[in-house]
């Protein structure tokens, strides 16, 4: 029987070296589901990546911050993000699951990643403290993370944000979900994300621009329906998801504008 190796580095540089031949261990919730166990783990808990900081309108979320820590931060970060965390997992798993692990391994049915995507964060990667747009990182996983380590997410706190989902039961992951964020400024901007399908949630830049330009509800509906018209799987048809997403976004936009 092959013996599993375990490493607990104390610096990011050491962790990057070890990760060339091992699997990162954050909260461990994804590894619990794996059918084939890795031969070596690199425990990331001693790297000091668990900082959650709100400074003015800037939010910094370390990669090792647990989802339950976001729930406990409450109003300080965003009530909508708290709601998404509660919908993601029960209390026990929220105390295990990390933001960085979720970003690296999540699929499109994640409420937290859908809400975060609407908040337009940058993901800071080692080596080099390289900043990558979260939307771009989701597009290029897993290749974008080879030889890299997620350090933290940074974002501007939205003036308002909202999340909603449709699921078979209140405890299920969503069949379709939507998130909206409004950012203050001389010309307010928006973030719109859809989830519940595929290997990642998606942003809808066309709808974001239309909202900023003051487009009609009918125009926004059409853009949202187009974004999810082919989102069919065993859980729901693309037709259902596109119509449900349009209704959810309409409600959320009204909420964040108010």
């Amino acid at each position: 029987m092959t013996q599993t190796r375990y490493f607990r580095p104390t610096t990011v540089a050491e962790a990057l070296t070890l990760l060339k031949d091992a699997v990162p261990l954050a909260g461990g919730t994804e590894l619990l589901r794996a059918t084939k166990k890795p031969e070596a783990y690199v425990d990331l808990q001693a790297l000091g990546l668990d900082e959650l900081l709100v400074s003015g309108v800037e939010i910094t979320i370390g990669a090792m911050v647990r989802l339950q820590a976001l729930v406990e931060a409450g109003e300080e970060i965003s009530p909508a993000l708290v709601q998404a965390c509660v919908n993601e997992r029960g209390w026990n798993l929220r105390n295990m699951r990390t933001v960085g692990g979720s970003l690296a391994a999540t699929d499109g049915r994640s409420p937290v990643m859908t809400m975060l995507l609407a908040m337009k964060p940058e993901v800071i990667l080692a080596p080099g403290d390289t900043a990558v747009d979260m939307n771009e990182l989701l597009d290029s996983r897993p290749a974008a993370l080879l030889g890299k380590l997620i350090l933290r997410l940074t974002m501007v706190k939205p003036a308002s944000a909202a999340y909603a989902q449709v699921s078979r039961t209140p405890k299920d992951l969503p069949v379709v979900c939507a998130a909206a964020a409004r950012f203050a400024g001389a010309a307010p901007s928006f973030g719109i994300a859809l989830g519940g399908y595929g290997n990642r949630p998606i942003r809808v830049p066309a709808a974001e621009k239309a909202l900023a330009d003051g487009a009609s509800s009918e125009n926004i509906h059409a853009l949202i329906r187009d974004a999810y018209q082919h989102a069919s799987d065993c859980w729901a048809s693309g037709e259902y998801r596109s119509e449900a997403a349009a209704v959810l976004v309409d409600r959320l936009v009204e909420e964040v504008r108010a």
Side-chain angles (χ1 to χ4, degrees), residues 149-235:
L149 182 64
I150 299 172
L151 299 178
R152 59 191 175 274
L153 279 68
T154 63
M155 67 203 79
V156 174
K157 185 177 180 178
S160 56
Y163 172 84
Q165 70 176 47
V166 176
S167 55
R168 296 190 303 170
T169 75
K171 297 297 184 181
D172 278 343
L173 289 174
V175 172
V176 59
C177 62
R182 179 177 63 84
F183 300 91
S189 59
F190 296 85
I192 300 292
L194 305 178
Y197 168 77
N199 64 1
R200 55 152 295 180
I202 65 168
R203 260 184 57 203
V204 193
E208 295 170 356
K209 183 178 185 305
L211 279 169
D213 292 342
S216 66
S217 294
E218 290 78 10
N219 189 4
I220 305 301
H221 277 204
L223 292 169
I224 297 299
R225 285 195 296 267
D226 287 347
Y228 250 22
Q229 63 177 323
H230 300 301
S232 296
D233 60 15
C234 62
W235 301 104

Side-chain angles (χ1 to χ4, degrees), residues 18-20 26 32 35-37 48 52-53 65 72 76 83 114 122 140-141 160 175 204 206 211 227 230 244 246:
L18 291 168
L19 286 170
K20 294 176 182 178
L32 286 173
T35 55
K36 183 179 180 181
K37 303 302 180 184
L52 176 58
L53 178 64
V65 168
E72 293 169 1
E76 188 178 13
Q83 179 187 349
T114 302
E122 285 192 327
S140 54
R141 291 181 312 170
S160 56
V175 172
V204 193
L211 279 169
H230 300 301

Side-chain angles (χ1 to χ4, degrees), residues 74-143:
E75 291 279 347
E76 188 178 13
I77 50 167
S78 166
L81 182 56
V82 170
Q83 179 187 349
C85 289
V86 171
N87 287 358
E88 178 97 10
R89 292 290 189 269
W91 186 85
N92 286 334
L93 285 176
R94 289 200 304 271
N95 274 294
M96 296 173 62
R97 195 170 182 88
T98 65
V99 172
S102 298
L103 178 56
T106 193
D107 62 17
R109 300 188 73 195
S110 168
V112 172
M113 291 300 110
T114 302
M115 188 67 245
L116 280 174
L117 188 58
M119 295 169 73
K120 301 182 179 180
E122 285 192 327
V123 183
I124 310 303
L125 303 175
D129 274 13
T130 306
V132 181
D133 180 80
M134 178 179 170
N135 197 43
E136 295 177 7
L137 181 64
L138 288 174
D139 263 344
S140 54
R141 291 181 312 170

